[in-house]
Amino acid sequence: MAERDPLTESLTLLSERAGDVTGLVYTRLFAAHPELEDLFLMDTDGGVRGSMLSQALECLMNLADGPGTMAETVIRSERINHDTYDVPIGMFEVFFDIIRDVTRDTLGPAWTPDMDTAWKNTLAKTDSLSAFSLAT
Ligand code: HEM
């Protein structure tokens, strides 16, 4: 069986060590960008935040582990949806970076150079996936 890619390995270790990281991720996001917290006022039970994070994690693993076809479709179309939620340009990058930072900080010495490289390569891919352009 093929070895797991280092990014997925790091996320597996993250969930083993920290369990549900929803709180950690959004605390960091709102500390860095307090203006974003109001966007989630309607999310009273945290369901949107949870499913948004799991979608982002699925995309990262999908890109790290192969051609990333699912991630490409999701990220390109979510960029369009998020424009209608008034999410400023550049915030997808901020969100993915925060997931990486939470993972790296939680792993501490278990964070390897291979993981670092895999995250760099994968985040470069998420950056390159712009919104679908609507051909006229
Ligand atoms: C800082 C960056 C981001 C912000 C501020 C943000 C903001 C939001 C907000 C406000 C909603 C709720 C919209 C509504 O129902 O009115 C939402 C939903 C969602 N977001 Fe994000 N988003 C960000 C990044 C991402 C990323 C990177 C992904 C995935 C690739 C993503 C995927 C989703 C999905 C799938 C939903 C729908 C969740 C559900 O209702 O079950 N978001 N986002």
Side-chain angles (χ1 to χ4, degrees):
M1 200 173 80
E3 255 180 49
R4 245 185 324 205
D5 70 275
L7 180 144
T8 302
E9 185 62 39
S10 71
L11 289 176
T12 305
L13 282 175
L14 173 69
S15 86
E16 283 170 12
R17 288 174 182 214
D20 181 357
V21 294
T22 312
L24 279 176
V25 167
Y26 286 93
T27 301
R28 262 200 206 215
L29 178 65
F30 299 145
H33 293 275
E35 73 282 6
L36 296 178
E37 199 159 1
D38 281 359
L39 293 176
F40 293 93
L41 280 178
M42 304 285 281
D43 184 29
T44 45
D45 65 357
V48 169
R49 274 165 286 182
S51 78
M52 191 174 112
L53 177 59
S54 51
Q55 186 75 258
L57 292 169
E58 288 296 324
C59 286
L60 289 166
M61 290 187 280
N62 184 249
L63 285 168
D65 192 23
T69 318
M70 177 281 279
E72 174 160 0
T73 308
V74 170
I75 292 173
R76 289 190 194 280
S77 43
E78 284 304 335
R79 283 192 195 270
I80 298 178
N81 292 337
H82 284 67
D83 202 34
T84 69
Y85 313 150
D86 292 329
V87 173
I89 304 277
M91 285 301 150
F92 268 44
E93 286 59 41
V94 167
F95 194 65
F96 286 128
D97 282 356
I98 285 176
I99 299 174
R100 189 259 333 268
D101 293 349
V102 165
T103 307
R104 191 190 50 208
D105 293 357
T106 304
L107 264 55
W111 177 262
T112 65
D114 279 356
M115 289 174 185
D116 202 67
T117 306
W119 275 90
K120 276 204 181 83
N121 293 339
T122 303
L123 294 182
K125 289 186 200 166
T126 61
D127 283 5
S128 72
L129 295 171
S130 52
F132 282 123
S133 61
L134 300 173
T136 48

